[in-house]
Amino acid sequence: MRFNVFCLVTVLCLGTTAAFAAAPEPTTDEQKTFYALGLAISQSLGSFSLSESELDLVKSGIADGVLKKAPKVDLQTFGPKIQQLQQARASVVAEAEKKAGASFLAKAAAESGAKKTESGAILTTIKEGKGATPKITDTVKVH
């Protein structure tokens, strides 16, 4: 239920934003507020990684919902699939990030003087310290 309410609010809010999509730069406080609303909603849609054609379909659904037109699909049937779509898109992004992270770690580990800890962290000493080693009760300042 909470998810359906979130989807409905998002759809309604995006519908309002669609009216301003072709509008010139926002000049009044009200226009700027609506524009900010669109930016906020876009952040919640960011995990979907929508293409331009997919965004057009979302806009169409928003317009139909806001203008009380007959829906082209049954929300009870396809509403639950929204979360599945989001998870699938997030998995693709996560896999790409995982590969990029592994590549970065391999490159960092190959640098001279790099040490790999048991946890897998790569440490590279930029400048060796020459002072006394602080005790657990000491307060230190780092740059």
Side-chain angles (χ1 to χ4, degrees):
M1 180 66 181
R2 188 170 145 196
F3 182 75
N4 288 340
V5 170
F6 171 75
C7 290
L8 180 62
V9 168
T10 300
V11 167
L12 291 175
C13 292
L14 280 176
T16 305
T17 306
F20 283 101
E25 292 290 316
T27 54
T28 68
D29 280 353
E30 184 178 48
Q31 289 174 337
K32 290 176 183 180
T33 302
F34 281 120
Y35 184 79
L37 176 62
L39 289 176
I41 292 168
S42 74
Q43 291 175 349
S44 68
L45 292 175
S47 63
F48 287 97
S49 301
L50 297 172
S51 68
E52 194 168 335
S53 62
E54 292 167 338
L55 182 57
D56 287 340
L57 288 168
V58 171
K59 288 178 185 178
S60 174
I62 291 166
D64 288 351
V66 170
L67 299 174
K68 308 290 186 215
K69 292 184 179 178
K72 295 177 178 125
V73 299
D74 180 39
L75 190 56
Q76 295 296 326
T77 302
F78 289 93
K81 294 183 180 190
I82 295 170
Q83 189 173 11
Q84 294 171 357
L85 174 65
Q86 183 180 26
Q87 289 173 346
R89 296 284 175 100
S91 295
V92 170
V93 171
E95 190 61 36
E97 291 292 326
K98 191 175 184 179
K99 287 179 183 177
S103 172
F104 178 80
L105 283 176
K107 183 179 174 184
E111 290 181 8
S112 65
K115 298 175 186 175
K116 189 171 185 176
T117 66
E118 288 182 29
S119 67
I122 308 295
L123 300 177
T124 305
T125 303
I126 297 171
K127 181 179 176 183
E128 188 71 35
K130 296 179 182 165
T133 303
K135 299 178 187 100
I136 198 161
T137 56
D138 291 341
T139 300
V140 297
K141 180 178 178 183
V142 295
H143 300 282

